[in-house]
Amino acid sequence: MTTPAPEDVTLDVVQHPDRTVVVVSGELDVLTVPHLRRVLYDPAHVTGAAVVVDLAAVTFLDSVGIGALVAARRWLSSRGTTMTLACADNQPRKVLRMMGLDKVFEITAPEPG
């Protein structure tokens, strides 16, 4: 399911039997993060015990995007849902590593697509 968003970001929600994958493409910044929040906090989009946020196609991640990911992880965790980030060797992964968040989040390679 693709949900409408600002032009700078696209979010695709893919349901699997064991997890929900939210594939993010484009920029995650102050203008686009509200859309990501709406998806991650919506039980109609995010179901099951595991969520993977795929950042492989994200070209830019700022501090607002990082804050949204941290808050979503906390919120989902309080409801018994795990949250994993899938990153290529891209700007988001470098930023997460630089900030030490690779020790907070489980970060995996993106799923083949």
Side-chain angles (χ1 to χ4, degrees), residues 57-70:
V58 170
T59 56
F60 179 75
L61 174 67
D62 73 1
S63 61
V64 176
I66 291 168
L69 292 170
V70 170

Side-chain angles (χ1 to χ4, degrees), residues 22-110:
V22 180
V23 180
V24 186
S25 302
E27 299 179 3
L28 272 180
D29 58 22
V30 69
L31 296 175
T32 60
V33 159
H35 186 65
L36 177 65
R37 282 191 190 112
R38 281 191 297 276
V39 170
L40 290 177
Y41 288 78
D42 185 346
H45 290 297
V46 176
T47 60
V51 174
V52 177
V53 180
D54 187 335
L55 303 174
V58 170
T59 56
F60 179 75
L61 174 67
D62 73 1
S63 61
V64 176
I66 291 168
L69 292 170
V70 170
R73 179 186 174 275
R74 188 177 317 124
W75 187 82
L76 290 165
S77 178
S78 74
R79 282 147 183 80
T81 301
T82 62
M83 183 172 139
T84 303
L85 302 179
C87 293
D89 191 20
N90 57 1
Q91 188 263 352
R93 186 177 198 121
K94 291 172 186 168
V95 169
L96 292 164
R97 190 178 313 127
M98 185 175 58
M99 297 187 72
L101 291 172
D102 55 339
K103 293 167 182 55
V104 173
F105 287 100
E106 179 183 351
I107 300 177
T108 64

Side-chain angles (χ1 to χ4, degrees), residues 4-25:
E7 291 179 16
D8 295 338
V9 72
T10 302
L11 301 174
D12 292 313
V13 180
V14 182
Q15 300 292 344
H16 296 275
D18 60 337
R19 71 200 178 291
T20 299
V21 179
V22 180
V23 180
V24 186
S25 302

